[in-house]
Amino acid sequence: MATVHHRYAEVQGHRLFYREAGPADAAVIVLLHGFPTSSFMFRELIPRLAGRYRVIAPDHLGFGFSDAPAADAFAYSFDALAGLTKGLLDQLGVTRYALYVQDYGAPIGWRLALGDPGAVTAIVTQNGNGYEAGLIKEFWDDVRAYQREQTPETEAGVRVALSLEGIKWQYVTGVADETSVSPDTWHHDFQLVSRPGNDLVQLALFRDYATNIPLYPLLHEYLRTHAVPVLAVWGENDPIFGPDGARAFAEDAQRSEVHLLDGGHFLLETHVEPVAELILDFLDRTALPR
């Protein structure tokens, strides 16, 4: 089993935490986590990929063990998080890589791909949305209401996602057997988003998520134009990003595979082994060399 290293880098004046494993000269896969977690979500996946690939999994600013400057000291946006990720990869000398994106990791990854199309050799999207068809109305109505108008009522609607029960809901909804998901997951995430001031960081990103939808047509054109291979491996019972979001990648990606598994939003908690097997097979067949 590959050794996973836990490292820090100074990027644009901020200390970013990242996990790294695998041969230094191997092709690279970058793992980008979602809300409200961190690279912790990849703890079981990284060793399974690192036998063949150099794996890099950063914590976004404001998440995990990376710095979390106050919302009035840093302008949190998906543009800014993508810029920091690009800065980290530049510092590590990574110029070509496959992407694994989930939840918030998707709009960060889409910005990286659109900013440097030749850098991305393949995309693995695990409940990482890129289509309006993937947005589950019941979840997104509250977020959109808050984006349109910030009032005590609309803010209360999204603050539910920062509660212990709200985070647990993301982990267990759509899972056939809730006892298969460790409570370490939602308690770990809750502790980190409950740090003083981090709620305002998360609220800023809820508001800025509105900037991601206009990127979708640009993403679709990128997929059609650059023929990057796409693997959509999806928890089909996800209450946030539905399976239509996975199927839609096949409409634009010239080389695509879609696998719907009987799981939820955080598919790795219940299906890490089959997901790892699908990724390794897919990358071995389709990704360009380093």
Side-chain angles (χ1 to χ4, degrees), residues 20-32:
E20 184 174 16
D25 60 350
V28 176
I29 179 168
V30 177
L31 312 180
L32 299 179

Side-chain angles (χ1 to χ4, degrees), residues 50-108:
R52 293 183 228 175
Y53 294 91
R54 180 185 176 193
V55 186
I56 298 170
D59 286 356
H60 308 313
L61 195 76
F63 293 81
F65 297 125
S66 287
D67 280 353
D72 60 1
F74 182 85
Y76 283 90
S77 69
F78 288 90
D79 282 347
L81 296 185
L84 287 164
T85 305
K86 176 66 162 59
L88 174 64
L89 296 178
D90 288 346
Q91 191 173 131
L92 297 178
V94 175
T95 58
R96 303 198 74 213
Y97 50 91
L99 274 174
Y100 178 120
V101 299
Q102 192 263 354
D103 191 82
Y104 275 11
I108 294 170

Side-chain angles (χ1 to χ4, degrees), residues 126-164:
Q126 184 259 294
N127 299 76
N129 197 55
Y131 292 83
E132 291 200 51
L135 300 172
I136 300 293
K137 184 178 185 299
E138 290 77 8
F139 177 86
W140 287 100
D141 277 354
D142 284 340
V143 178
R144 283 170 162 163
Y146 178 63
Q147 291 167 348
R148 287 192 300 269
E149 184 181 17
Q150 290 82 59
T151 67
E153 292 74 24
T154 61
E155 184 175 311
V158 294
R159 275 189 177 272
V160 172
L162 304 178
S163 69
L164 183 62

Side-chain angles (χ1 to χ4, degrees), residues 266-283:
F266 287 108
L267 188 63
L268 294 180
E269 297 304 323
T270 55
H271 291 73
V272 66
E273 196 62 46
V275 170
E277 290 174 1
L278 286 167
I279 293 171
L280 289 171
D281 173 66
F282 179 74
L283 292 182

Side-chain angles (χ1 to χ4, degrees), residues 152-208:
E153 292 74 24
T154 61
E155 184 175 311
V158 294
R159 275 189 177 272
V160 172
L162 304 178
S163 69
L164 183 62
E165 281 305 308
I167 295 172
K168 177 183 177 181
W169 175 85
Q170 289 203 42
Y171 275 97
V172 302
T173 302
V175 174
D177 179 4
E178 290 187 11
T179 67
S180 66
V181 182
S182 171
D184 294 335
T185 53
W186 59 84
H187 281 275
H188 175 273
D189 292 353
F190 177 68
Q191 280 193 328
L192 290 169
V193 301
S194 297
R195 289 171 291 177
N198 196 260
D199 58 336
L200 301 182
V201 169
Q202 305 306 330
L203 290 175
L205 289 172
F206 287 158
R207 294 192 298 271
D208 193 65

